[in-house]
Amino acid sequence: MKRLLVLAVVAGALATLIGLGLWQLDRRAWKLDLIANLDANLAAPPIVMTTAPSPDDAWRRASFTGVWATKTPARIVSRTLNGQVGADFAAPLMLKNGDVIIVRIGWIRDPTETPVLPAGDVTVSGVLFPSPRPTAFTPDNTPPDRWLWLDPKPIATAFGASAERTASLALNVTDASAGLTARPARPTVPNDHLQYAFTWFSLALALAVIAFVALRRRR
């Protein structure tokens, strides 16, 4: 009975380890497809948009013409770029049809400096991107002065723009104005799933060898 119990535990552990390895291979296939779609969108010709983008437009190069809803953009603090901590700046751009797109105009090392946005019609170009909360542990934003992450609709509301007309995607400019640094157009997408799968399969093999040797010694 004891031997059967040990065999059952070993079999269950092997099934779990192999299952985790296969799951990582599935995740790798999904990640490769994601990266391929990302690169295809970034390689596509830029599009001129006159309305708010849809979620399907993520990672497309696009340009918009409108007027800034504010002269002083929102300062998003404690943002890291190239190993340095500074601040991102973002502002709502109001399109001619009333739609709103939040534009991340760039990063600056000294968070006390605040760029001034021009009045009148402007055209901005960049890459559309989704802006989820960085982690579940990131504190809430406290508008209008304390921003820790880019949340399009609250930023629009803080500057008097319509949250209902604000796109869920934001625009990351590819050419920042003087004094600002544009963030990279392509995000870093980690793809270590093959390494993880190898680790799980190796553990399964090691467990099988140990169990086999142990059973032979018992005999």
Side-chain angles (χ1 to χ4, degrees):
M1 177 65 73
K2 184 177 180 181
R3 182 181 177 186
L4 291 176
L5 179 61
V6 172
L7 287 174
V9 171
V10 171
L14 283 173
T16 300
L17 292 172
I18 293 172
L20 288 170
L22 293 174
W23 176 67
Q24 286 295 339
L25 291 180
D26 287 340
R27 291 279 296 173
R28 179 174 182 269
W30 167 81
K31 186 65 70 65
L32 289 174
D33 185 59
L34 177 69
I35 293 172
N37 289 334
L38 170 64
D39 289 337
N41 283 348
L42 288 172
I47 52 178
V48 177
M49 304 193 73
T50 58
T51 60
S54 71
D56 292 337
D57 293 317
W59 307 115
R60 289 293 307 272
R61 295 185 182 275
S63 64
F64 297 85
T65 298
V67 295
W68 296 112
T70 176
K71 289 185 177 180
T72 55
R75 180 189 293 109
I76 306 170
V77 298
S78 302
R79 308 307 298 161
T80 302
L81 182 65
N82 299 328
Q84 295 185 315
V85 179
D88 283 332
F89 288 91
L93 183 74
M94 302 177 65
L95 309 183
K96 296 184 184 301
N97 72 334
D99 288 344
V100 179
I101 179 77
I102 300 301
V103 181
R104 185 166 63 189
I105 62 174
W107 175 92
I108 195 169
R109 177 67 182 86
D110 184 358
T112 62
E113 296 183 18
T114 302
V116 177
L117 299 173
D121 287 349
V122 295
T123 297
V124 291
S125 300
V127 175
L128 293 164
F129 70 100
S131 183
R133 195 183 189 114
T135 71
F137 302 101
T138 303
D140 291 332
N141 290 319
T142 53
D145 300 321
R146 188 170 182 264
W147 301 95
L148 299 177
W149 53 289
L150 194 157
D151 195 3
K153 294 184 184 298
I155 289 178
T157 301
F159 293 104
S162 170
E164 291 75 17
R165 302 291 298 272
T166 300
S168 58
L169 299 178
L171 185 76
N172 179 56
V173 298
T174 48
D175 294 314
S177 57
L180 295 171
T181 303
R183 285 193 171 274
R186 188 189 187 283
T188 301
V189 182
N191 185 18
D192 300 322
H193 300 292
L194 190 60
Q195 176 184 339
Y196 297 151
F198 177 79
T199 300
W200 291 121
F201 289 141
S202 297
L203 290 173
L205 178 61
L207 177 60
V209 171
I210 292 171
F212 176 76
V213 172
L215 288 173
R216 283 184 62 88
R217 288 182 176 177
R218 287 288 298 271
R219 289 180 179 180

